[in-house]
Amino acid sequence: MQELAKTYNPKDFEQRIYQSWEQDGDFHQEAATDKPPFTIVMPPPNITGQLHMGHALDQTLQDVLTRWRRMQGYAALWVPGTDHASIATEVRVADELFEKEGKTKEDVGREAFLDRVWLWREIYGGRITEQQRRLGDSCDWERERFTMDEGCNKAVVEFFVRLYRKGLIYRGYRMINWCPQCGTSLSDAEVEHEDVQGQYWYIRYPGADGGEGVVVATSRPETMFGDTAVAVHPDDARYKDLIGKTVVLPLVGREIPVVADPYPDPEKGTGAVKITPAHDPNDFEVGQRHSLPQVVCIDFEAKMTAEAGQYEGMDRYECRKAWVAALADAGFVVKTEDVVIPTGMCYRCATAVEPMLSNQWFVKMKPLAEPAIAALKSGELKFVPERFGKTYLRWMEEIRDWCISRQLWWGHRIPAWYCDSCGKVIVAQKRPLACSTCGATGDALRQDEDVLDTWFSSALWPFSTLGWPEDTEDLRKFYPTSVLVTGYDIIFFWVARMVFSGIFCMGKSPFSHVFIHGLVRGADGQKMSKSLGNGVDPLEIIGKYGADALRFMLLHGSAAGNDMRWSEESVISARNFANKLWNAARFVIMNLDGRTQFAPTDGGQAQFAPTDGGQAQFAPTDEDRWILATTARVAGEVTEALEKFELSVAIEKVYDLIRDEYCDWYIELVKSRLYGGDETSKRTAQAVLVSVLSDLLRLLHPFMPFITEEIWGYLGKDGKLIRDRWPAGRPDAPWGPLSDAAADADDAGAVARIEALKDVVRAVRNIRAEAGTEQGKKVPVVLMADAPPALAEHHIKALAGVSEVTVIADEKDVPKDAASAILKGMVVYVPLAELVDNEAEREKLLKERERLEKYAGQLEAKLANEGFTSKAPAQVVEAERAKLNSAREALEKTIERLEVLMA
RNA sequence: GCGGGCAUAGCUCAGCUGGUUAGAGCGCAUGGGUCACAACCAUGAGGUCCCGGGUUCGAAUCCCUGUGCCCGCACCA
């Protein structure tokens, strides 16, 4: 058996182990299997992206669930892939083109530009998947997909056509969000609102009849060139007489009507609103109701049109300044007011979005949203934590039609053709040979220039990756998927859209659970970002501390759905824990005397028979049974936590088991047997050490896959075995299965005895520490017990630095000068006169008495309360009674002890 | 305006469907180069669970009000 290096050094093995996983195809999952399916589709990162902490968290959660289910015997499939990220990628490649060659994308043309993007993706698009490997992602790389690959494209086109044929996709001249920087329309979800410091200008529109006219307030005076009316509320007494009259647009000179409409709120501004149907969604509506002309005064580059007269060609904000100055000079500005204006910004480039009229494609959302709402209400779809279901519902219920066309080149081109001869629009999977109306062919049929919103293709991800629209074996086996893991920030963009698309195409919600996590914030609590300089690169952290340590930190960090704060100290703690485990394993291996046969040699059955010729004799002691039973208990708790998606609880339990129980107690308890025990006792200890370690490694494996598998390898075993079985019940014990009732009772006794032993050891250590006993000095201990405690004296001696243990039963035998500790069922005395400060001892006891009196008093009151005894469950009452009894007992002993001291 | 979250030890946070003498990590204090581990070990100090009401036999936990932070949606008169 090889020896482990003295210090845990993840660099030595993480990459090697990942390569072996991948080479062996360990994460590949075929549909043809009897195992029950467990499926996760990975939220596809953008090809322009680099792995950041948010990904690291997201991926780690998915990996834990996948690995755990795989160990449990599921056909666990985790489908990876990347997203083409229409806008982000196009802008990126266009920028590079301009930087390197000084050309715009229009200069090179559509085809050539797209060739460049594909080339770019070829070279850089896979970077992130390499980074995912560093994290340890156990996804099925053989199934890696791309939202623009052939299959996905086919799915997108099919989806579009089906929606169109059902009347759920339409083309229309509507008000949309336009990003002048990216040069494309955006959906409502892609617009972020930000508060911007701005102003209201109160501007007088004089009456056409020479009257006073009306004063309107606006934050966007430059849109005045597009004004085609002023609206007032029909019940607003102030403006009653104006309705039906006309006012004059100052300086422009155009006469516009004053219309009565319910839209203006008499409480706001002056109660009169300028109406610009071409540049404001609300005004657009008003314009429709009153058949107002739509005057476009701002173009797609956010520059003023000819409607703005002398300002034509000027940027919208430049124009605002100049125009307001001109109005003020002419005396039309009544007053100005500083105000915060919530402004729509492009989520990609943060440019102020311009509401514009244009021809776009839309998805009619109401009919699609209804079943998606029903899926949540019926429980077919569940959010973890539940509150995010509310967020989802709210959005679905207030949903508006989805603008899906984008004025870009990189993306799925809209499968619609226009016939130049007759004007017909043909929507089809493939380019039609001829116009179905007029028979025109060839160049007369022009395909729509636009591409689809990136999220239109992401919406199909849970089934397009499994082969839809074909009826594949994969789809039948793995759809609907089990759980979708993602951040709350893309519930609208992605989760909601997958749900209605999945229901529309497949008839079922694409997943039964949505497991939502929060953001990883910077150490300062701010969102991690380049501009703030608080970002942390996961790869750098992996390089410094290992992927396992990073994973541990991310998993342990916080509760589901809550944001977590980055802390490098926590990663260091996690690395230290890994080192602890590493050394525990090193200890075990060093003490096996080369008996590698103590490790399990196949998936389920342990093979503990020694291969060195001897016949194994095993004689389990209390500590053996205790650690086996404890491990079994914790394994159950870990499983339970995982089932509830409480990953941080799960990993903490494994951590405590390894660190507190196995390392701090079991290994210490067993040392004497390893160093000086007889053969049987030694062999038993070795066997238990190994079999428990095996299960510990398994329990930790989904969370920290690298170190666990590396250690497993040092045990001389095939790495696959660790992934074969999830611990349920007790670890294999060499003396047989011990699962009958008698054995359980035996275990229970052993557990109680070891727990009592731990109390005694801790008590003695405490006394020693408080008294400042020298480290090496042995002290005698006297135990007074009601019943003989059956505690292994040699353990007390070894673990607490004790020379002699005397058990007494009679009050008279209590040593005179001694430090003491009162435990359950016994009192521990350390009779070392020179160490005892009777004054301090007395004070300690007085405090203790006070505390116990108070505590017992509370319990008594509780138990005297008839409401409690009659209404609380019997076992709760029983538990309280037991607490009271032990409190009383401790109190009694404390008082006795005080009396002795006072005497 | 509508909706949601958070407030627990010096710091960062757990604490699920009410019953714990309220926990962890880090930090702090004391002692220790012990032969798995100083990336360690042992021991300890430290908390009116934001304020105020309510429900209940019982509230950190459920409900309401308030205060303070944070987020999402809507709103560019």
Side-chain angles (χ1 to χ4, degrees):
Chain A
M1 191 170 294
Q2 257 179 297
E3 258 190 47
L4 279 77
K6 188 170 174 184
T7 303
Y8 164 69
N9 189 0
K11 272 203 182 106
D12 292 346
F13 55 84
E14 287 193 348
Q15 300 205 40
R16 183 190 80 230
I17 284 185
Y18 197 90
Q19 278 164 17
S20 77
W21 286 336
E22 204 172 349
Q23 270 163 22
D24 297 348
D26 286 336
F27 308 138
H28 180 60
Q29 183 60 59
E30 292 287 343
T33 166
D34 292 338
K35 293 177 174 183
F38 178 82
T39 320
I40 296 183
V41 293
M42 181 191 289
N46 293 350
I47 49 171
T48 53
Q50 297 265 40
L51 191 80
H52 57 63
M53 271 313 159
H55 291 123
L57 170 63
D58 188 59
Q59 314 266 306
T60 300
L61 296 172
Q62 293 172 64
D63 194 46
V64 170
L65 293 173
T66 306
R67 286 179 183 271
W68 164 59
R69 290 298 193 185
R70 192 179 286 127
M71 288 173 79
Q72 276 193 326
Y74 284 81
L77 171 62
W78 185 15
V79 184
T82 46
D83 190 280
H84 65 284
S86 184
I87 300 181
T89 312
E90 179 152 332
V91 166
R92 175 122 185 195
V93 177
D95 283 353
E96 270 185 29
L97 177 68
F98 193 78
E99 261 170 45
K100 285 188 187 147
E101 302 176 31
K103 289 182 190 161
T104 65
K105 60 184 188 186
E106 285 77 13
D107 291 338
V108 300
R110 184 170 191 140
E111 295 306 313
F113 181 75
L114 286 180
D115 286 346
R116 281 172 189 267
V117 184
W118 278 106
L119 189 67
W120 188 91
R121 146 171 144 107
E122 205 72 3
I123 299 168
Y124 302 106
R127 265 180 315 188
I128 196 159
T129 61
E130 280 313 311
Q131 296 168 338
Q132 288 169 342
R133 288 172 167 89
R134 294 289 307 280
L135 254 187
D137 287 1
S138 71
C139 44
D140 185 352
W141 292 111
E142 289 175 46
R143 291 172 177 272
E144 184 180 351
R145 296 293 299 274
F146 177 50
T147 51
M148 283 259 284
D149 65 26
E150 215 187 309
C152 285
N153 182 255
K154 205 172 163 191
V156 165
V157 169
E158 182 67 28
F159 182 45
F160 188 97
V161 172
R162 285 195 195 180
L163 284 172
Y164 183 78
R165 293 194 177 148
K166 284 235 157 95
L168 295 174
I169 279 189
Y170 64 92
R171 190 164 184 265
Y173 188 66
R174 300 289 158 94
M175 176 76 42
I176 47 87
N177 309 295
W178 181 267
C179 174
Q181 179 68 38
C182 299
T184 182
S185 57
L186 298 171
S187 67
D188 293 336
E190 288 167 310
V191 177
E192 283 175 356
H193 294 271
E194 199 181 307
D195 285 342
V196 174
Q197 191 53 240
Q199 289 185 290
Y200 285 154
W201 284 271
Y202 288 76
I203 298 165
R204 175 167 304 280
Y205 287 17
D209 55 6
E212 277 200 342
V214 66
V215 174
V216 298
T218 179
S219 62
R220 301 203 57 196
E222 70 279 12
T223 64
M224 275 173 63
F225 301 107
D227 284 3
T228 53
V230 168
V232 296
H233 196 277
D235 301 335
D236 194 334
R238 293 170 294 179
Y239 302 113
K240 268 245 147 47
D241 298 340
L242 269 177
I243 297 169
K245 292 192 173 157
T246 42
V247 292
V248 181
L249 264 180
L251 301 184
V252 178
R254 183 160 76 228
E255 291 190 15
I256 56 175
V258 177
V259 299
D261 192 276
Y263 166 59
D265 178 353
E267 305 288 310
K268 281 189 188 170
T270 62
V273 188
K274 66 192 265 310
I275 299 298
T276 321
H279 295 288
D280 180 283
N282 290 311
D283 293 6
F284 174 80
E285 303 280 323
V286 177
Q288 294 280 298
R289 287 196 282 272
H290 300 273
S291 307
L292 298 172
Q294 296 161 341
V295 174
V296 175
C297 62
I298 298 172
D299 68 13
F300 290 104
E301 287 175 20
K303 290 184 174 144
M304 306 310 294
T305 67
E307 292 293 339
Q310 65 179 107
Y311 304 101
E312 181 181 359
M314 202 181 254
D315 171 82
R316 56 187 165 169
Y317 296 120
E318 294 293 311
C319 171
R320 178 183 298 177
K321 271 189 231 157
W323 177 236
V324 165
L327 283 173
D329 281 351
F332 290 107
V333 177
V334 178
K335 66 167 178 174
T336 62
E337 193 179 309
D338 284 338
V339 69
V340 170
I341 315 259
T343 308
M345 306 288 196
C346 171
Y347 83 134
R348 283 286 162 214
C349 70
T351 302
V353 161
E354 188 62 44
M356 294 286 268
L357 283 169
S358 69
N359 264 313
Q360 302 286 348
W361 290 89
F362 297 87
V363 177
K364 204 181 208 173
M365 286 308 308
K366 273 269 173 309
L368 289 166
E370 275 162 21
I373 290 167
L376 185 87
K377 289 188 171 164
S378 73
E380 184 190 350
L381 173 68
K382 286 194 179 78
F383 278 81
V384 180
E386 242 173 275
R387 65 172 186 273
F388 291 102
K390 233 178 174 173
T391 311
Y392 163 95
L393 264 190
R394 218 176 122 80
W395 190 75
M396 278 290 191
E397 280 164 355
E398 291 170 11
I399 201 158
R400 287 186 290 169
D401 286 356
W402 176 17
C403 175
I404 48 171
S405 42
R406 297 287 177 276
Q407 288 61 54
L408 300 166
W409 289 344
W410 176 243
H412 298 277
R413 197 157 168 185
I414 290 172
W417 285 264
Y418 304 99
C419 175
D420 279 343
S421 329
C422 70
K424 182 171 172 79
V425 180
I426 305 163
V427 169
Q429 282 89 346
K430 284 183 189 144
R431 182 186 181 85
L433 293 170
C435 172
S436 52
T437 303
C438 70
T441 56
D443 290 346
L445 295 175
R446 275 182 308 104
Q447 185 172 4
D448 196 299
E449 294 288 321
D450 292 350
V451 299
L452 290 161
D453 184 357
T454 300
W455 299 100
F456 190 86
S457 59
S458 330
L460 313 181
W461 195 239
F463 44 100
S464 63
T465 51
L466 295 173
W468 192 86
E470 312 301 331
D471 177 23
T472 62
E473 203 186 344
D474 280 347
L475 266 183
R476 287 194 299 268
K477 178 79 182 180
F478 297 114
Y479 191 94
T481 67
S482 311
V483 53
L484 178 87
V485 180
T486 196
Y488 57 70
D489 49 336
I490 54 174
I491 291 177
F492 305 140
F493 281 115
W494 195 44
V495 180
R497 285 165 177 168
M498 278 191 286
V499 176
F500 66 69
S501 309
I503 295 174
F504 178 79
C505 295
M506 296 290 300
K508 280 180 193 160
S509 167
F511 23 74
S512 51
H513 292 267
V514 183
F515 180 35
I516 296 287
H517 61 252
L519 305 175
V520 183
R521 297 183 169 277
D524 54 2
Q526 303 277 96
K527 209 165 164 173
M528 275 197 187
S529 80
K530 273 190 193 132
S531 54
L532 287 171
N534 62 351
V536 180
D537 179 5
L539 293 176
E540 204 178 292
I541 297 298
I542 290 172
K544 264 165 102 176
Y545 308 108
D548 283 333
L550 173 62
R551 292 167 62 112
F552 186 104
M553 181 270 159
L554 292 168
L555 289 164
H556 192 241
S558 78
N562 287 2
D563 291 352
M564 69 166 51
R565 197 180 284 233
W566 173 257
S567 140
E568 190 156 330
E569 292 75 43
S570 301
V571 185
I572 293 172
S573 303
R575 190 273 319 264
N576 294 351
F577 167 63
N579 185 57
K580 181 80 183 171
L581 173 63
W582 183 265
N583 277 289
R586 199 160 74 94
F587 172 83
V588 171
I589 288 166
M590 278 166 59
N591 284 288
L592 285 183
D593 301 337
R595 287 174 179 147
T596 63
Q597 72 283 0
F598 282 127
T601 53
D602 66 42
Q605 297 300 110
Q607 302 282 315
F608 289 100
T611 53
D612 54 2
Q615 185 69 35
Q617 293 290 324
F618 296 113
T621 59
D622 277 353
E623 65 264 21
D624 296 333
R625 292 181 189 281
W626 165 78
I627 191 67
L628 288 163
T630 302
T631 303
R633 191 199 80 227
V634 174
E637 292 170 3
V638 172
T639 307
E640 231 174 274
L642 286 170
E643 273 160 3
K644 290 190 282 187
F645 295 98
E646 291 173 356
L647 275 58
S648 66
V649 173
I651 196 171
E652 187 162 299
K653 286 186 183 289
V654 181
Y655 174 92
D656 289 344
L657 175 64
I658 291 175
R659 217 186 159 98
D660 296 348
E661 310 296 4
Y662 190 72
C663 293
D664 289 351
W665 289 103
Y666 186 67
I667 286 182
E668 295 305 324
L669 285 168
V670 105
K671 274 180 179 170
S672 58
R673 287 157 69 193
L674 293 172
Y675 296 152
D678 60 55
E679 186 61 12
T680 300
S681 151
K682 185 171 175 180
R683 275 179 188 259
T684 307
Q686 289 171 330
V688 175
L689 275 170
V690 170
S691 57
V692 172
L693 180 61
S694 300
D695 268 13
L696 297 180
L697 292 173
R698 284 181 158 129
L699 286 170
L700 189 61
H701 185 67
F703 309 98
M704 302 177 89
F706 292 107
I707 184 179
T708 47
E709 184 151 331
E710 177 69 1
I711 292 172
W712 190 270
Y714 276 98
L715 292 174
K717 297 302 148 199
D718 179 353
K720 278 190 178 33
L721 298 179
I722 195 175
R723 305 192 289 279
D724 250 28
R725 185 167 58 99
W726 176 251
R730 61 185 300 156
D732 296 308
W735 51 88
L738 280 196
S739 56
D740 53 273
D744 287 350
D746 224 15
D747 281 357
V751 168
R753 286 188 291 274
I754 294 296
E755 293 302 334
L757 171 78
K758 285 161 72 177
D759 285 345
V760 173
V761 170
R762 273 192 286 249
V764 176
R765 284 172 175 173
N766 180 359
I767 289 169
R768 292 177 56 112
E770 304 250 291
T773 319
E774 283 167 57
Q775 198 68 17
K777 183 168 174 116
K778 302 263 186 204
V779 298
V781 161
V782 175
L783 286 177
M784 192 175 91
D786 311 339
L791 296 179
E793 288 180 11
H794 68 281
H795 282 324
I796 299 174
K797 288 181 184 168
L799 297 191
V802 169
S803 53
E804 192 73 34
V805 180
T806 314
V807 179
I808 58 170
D810 197 324
E811 194 70 33
K812 296 194 304 269
D813 301 328
V814 170
K816 263 212 295 294
D817 292 318
S820 66
I822 290 152
L823 303 175
K824 207 175 168 209
M826 66 184 119
V827 185
V828 178
Y829 300 94
V830 180
L832 269 192
E834 70 270 29
L835 294 180
V836 175
D837 178 344
N838 275 333
E839 192 51 44
E841 180 79 0
R842 200 175 300 131
E843 259 172 49
K844 198 174 86 181
L845 285 162
L846 283 168
K847 258 174 101 177
E848 184 65 6
R849 186 180 70 181
E850 199 181 330
R851 207 208 65 189
L852 283 166
E853 274 168 351
K854 200 176 149 201
Y855 180 46
Q858 285 167 356
L859 290 167
E860 272 162 15
K862 201 171 190 180
L863 284 160
N865 181 346
E866 205 167 316
F868 174 69
T869 48
S870 62
K871 289 182 185 171
Q875 43 181 333
V876 172
V877 178
E878 212 33 64
E880 296 302 298
R881 200 157 278 146
K883 282 182 204 165
L884 178 58
N885 285 339
S886 42
R888 275 180 180 158
E889 184 196 301
L891 184 58
E892 200 177 302
K893 290 192 169 121
T894 307
I895 291 167
E896 277 171 20
R897 178 80 186 125
L898 263 174
E899 280 167 0
V900 172
L901 273 180
M902 301 299 206

